[in-house]
Amino acid sequence: MVARRSRIPATKYPVERFTLDNGLRVVLTPDRSAPVIGVAVVYDVGIRSEPEGRTGFAHLFEHLMFQGSENLEKLAHFRHVQGAGGTFNGSTHLDYTDYFETLPSNALERALFLEADRMRGPRLTEETLRNQVDVVKEEIRVNVLNRPYGGFPWLTLPPVMFDTFPNAHDGYGSFDDLESATVADAADFFRHYYASGNAVLAVSGDIDVAEATELVTRHFGDVPARPAPKRPDFTEPDLTAERRTSYTDKLAPLPAVAGAWRVPDPITDFTGYLPYVVLAEVLTDGDASRLVERLVQRDRSVTSLGGYLGFMGDPFDVRDPTALLLQAHLPPGGDVDKVLRTVDEELDRLATDGLTDGELARTQARMATHLLRDTDAVLGRALRMAVLEQQRGEPGLLNDLPRLVGEVTEEQVQIAAAALRPERRAVVEVIAGGAR
């Protein structure tokens, strides 16, 4: 065990944390090795926060935040970032929305001004709202309605597994809900969720901590203070009987299936959660993994296979309730029931017989490599630390994740495998309607 842990590399990124008087939490992590910075602002509002009748609103609002702000006209944010040689974007998740830039380090103040200006207030108009509703509708057409396997399984599995609106609804949103949104709705959403007390700012890279602290205070310190809203309780009971559904995808050339099982709370029971993260990799990551070797290479009952934690694929940025997902595409005429039975057999075998020699260490080394790679760039580091601060108050956990993954034991993985029983599973089957 000691020898195995010693092979897991570690990072020692410094972390400086403070909170402004208006409640904004700030994380600084200096790295003077290259003249580049990553800036990320994370708001504690995501798809699960959407009110009924406003499906897709969290994603729509992410678009609206780029349409001008208190002191800047539409598209000014784009010009100021790109004019400094930087890149930018934003993304909506189940539990948060983020906005971020990568810039030369001499543009730090520019990035802070831009983010602080839209934190004070985006420029919400009827014209920009209608325009961005149309943009989001086009995204739905491109990414879901007119694409094979569109929304599979991240949109199609939650309504099978969950019963409550926050967990089960379509996060992209219905056209009816999007079209009925008003500027007043957008303003209310901003006032409620886009408060300084509901946000985290992270800056990583070539910064002087004292100078960066002064600049953050200068630009964000006078953002009006609004407290974070009380986060609803999204918990739901576990399944006690398997739930299954199927639908025909008229564009899909091959049948597909996805299954999901609830896992321990990733925030309050992180120790219990981590073995499932490792288990997903043991089962599906690489040609030597359990299910790839059995289902793809030996049985040839599926053509591709994947497994991961969380409906959007990142195990370290989700809250409860969440799940371990497996998804596979089958050859023409493939037998979904046979695939599910084989998965159950392999889980039982792993739970009973344990792992082969070197299987766990190999998996953990690969996982540690991925974690290190994902945070090697300054923006990846800023984003990860911002979310860790937002959800856990522990941005420095970024340095510990490879080690913690490496400390998961074979017995813990076996116990996790034993918990993935058919009666706790939600399943979605895609019937191919586009095969020639």
Side-chain angles (χ1 to χ4, degrees):
M1 181 69 72
V2 173
R4 184 188 70 190
R5 289 181 188 174
S6 67
R7 291 197 293 269
I8 299 293
T11 56
K12 296 182 179 179
Y13 296 122
V15 181
E16 300 285 341
R17 303 168 65 217
F18 60 94
T19 302
L20 298 181
D21 291 342
N22 58 17
L24 177 69
R25 288 178 283 168
V26 182
V27 180
L28 305 177
T29 174
D31 176 1
R32 311 308 293 268
S33 60
V36 181
I37 55 168
V39 177
V41 178
V42 170
Y43 294 90
D44 195 344
V45 54
I47 290 168
R48 280 199 256 237
S49 304
E50 295 171 346
E52 293 193 50
R54 288 291 173 263
T55 59
F57 210 86
H59 178 220
L60 171 64
F61 204 86
E62 174 217 318
H63 282 251
L64 292 174
M65 286 287 280
F66 286 98
Q67 300 304 303
S69 54
E70 186 172 88
N71 293 295
L72 295 173
E73 72 280 7
K74 186 177 179 179
L75 301 181
H77 191 110
F78 299 39
R79 292 197 301 272
H80 284 297
V81 174
Q82 293 172 335
T87 60
F88 65 93
N89 213 329
S91 58
T92 310
H93 302 253
L94 288 177
D95 296 307
Y96 67 92
T97 305
D98 57 24
Y99 303 87
F100 47 87
E101 296 89 15
T102 301
L103 288 155
S105 53
N106 62 5
L108 171 62
E109 185 167 13
R110 179 179 301 207
L112 296 177
F113 165 78
L114 292 171
E115 290 297 349
D117 201 55
R118 63 178 167 187
M119 185 179 287
R120 289 188 189 90
R123 187 170 294 196
L124 302 173
T125 68
E126 184 67 23
E127 184 270 333
T128 57
L129 177 61
R130 299 277 70 86
N131 174 266
Q132 293 309 303
V133 165
D134 288 342
V135 170
V136 172
K137 287 167 60 180
E138 186 61 21
E139 280 194 30
I140 297 171
R141 293 186 186 99
V142 171
N143 295 332
V144 180
L145 300 179
N146 297 326
R147 172 179 290 186
Y149 314 105
F152 171 78
W154 78 276
L155 293 179
T156 55
L157 253 178
V160 183
M161 171 163 275
F162 300 119
D163 295 319
T164 65
F165 173 82
N167 297 317
H169 75 277
D170 181 346
Y172 251 132
S174 76
F175 282 13
D176 287 343
D177 283 357
L178 290 167
E179 289 167 351
S180 65
T182 67
V183 173
D185 294 329
D188 286 343
F189 196 81
F190 175 79
R191 281 192 295 269
H192 191 65
Y193 292 110
Y194 278 74
S196 53
N198 208 36
V200 174
L201 165 69
V203 183
S204 175
D206 183 23
I207 59 172
D208 174 82
V209 170
E211 179 187 10
T213 300
E214 191 276 326
L215 289 173
V216 168
T217 304
R218 181 192 307 171
H219 288 284
F220 287 89
D222 63 351
V223 173
R226 298 198 312 279
K230 179 176 172 56
R231 188 172 186 271
D233 182 2
F234 296 135
T235 58
E236 290 195 35
D238 197 1
L239 299 184
T240 56
E242 185 181 39
R243 295 183 180 182
R244 292 185 63 168
T245 192
S246 63
Y247 66 96
T248 299
D249 184 338
K250 62 183 180 181
L251 299 176
L254 297 172
V257 64
W261 298 258
R262 290 281 297 278
V263 296
D265 188 321
I267 305 298
T268 63
D269 188 13
F270 195 48
T271 300
Y273 174 76
L274 277 176
Y276 291 85
V277 180
V278 176
L279 172 62
E281 302 291 316
V282 168
L283 293 174
T284 65
D285 189 30
D287 291 342
S289 61
R290 292 283 178 126
L291 293 181
V292 172
E293 192 279 329
R294 172 74 188 274
L295 290 166
V296 179
Q297 298 176 354
R298 193 196 321 171
D299 295 355
R300 298 188 178 181
S301 57
V302 307
T303 59
S304 65
L305 182 75
Y308 46 92
L309 271 289
F311 291 93
M312 302 185 83
D314 190 326
F316 302 118
D317 71 354
V318 293
R319 290 165 165 165
D320 186 65
T322 190
L324 185 153
L325 280 73
L326 299 176
Q327 66 180 86
H329 292 81
L330 285 66
D335 188 336
V336 165
D337 288 328
K338 180 181 178 182
V339 170
L340 294 174
R341 286 196 301 270
T342 304
V343 169
D344 293 335
E345 289 173 11
E346 289 299 316
L347 289 169
D348 287 342
R349 186 164 70 91
L350 177 55
T352 302
D353 300 337
L355 291 97
T356 60
D357 185 42
E359 185 177 10
L360 180 60
R362 180 179 67 246
T363 301
Q364 290 168 318
R366 186 166 56 242
M367 293 176 70
T369 299
H370 292 163
L371 286 167
L372 294 167
R373 180 196 62 200
D374 291 345
T375 56
D376 182 57
V378 290
L379 180 58
R381 208 175 309 155
L383 283 166
R384 175 76 78 200
M385 286 196 176
V387 175
L388 290 173
E389 170 64 36
Q390 175 230 358
Q391 296 186 345
R392 303 168 180 273
E394 294 183 80
L397 184 63
L398 176 144
N399 290 317
D400 299 325
L401 286 175
R403 173 183 59 80
L404 293 172
V405 164
E407 289 177 352
V408 171
T409 67
E410 179 176 341
E411 181 183 12
Q412 289 175 307
V413 175
Q414 287 182 261
I415 292 171
L420 304 190
R421 306 304 306 157
E423 63 269 18
R424 298 184 57 242
R425 180 170 59 200
V427 177
V428 170
E429 176 184 355
V430 180
I431 300 169
R436 294 183 178 180

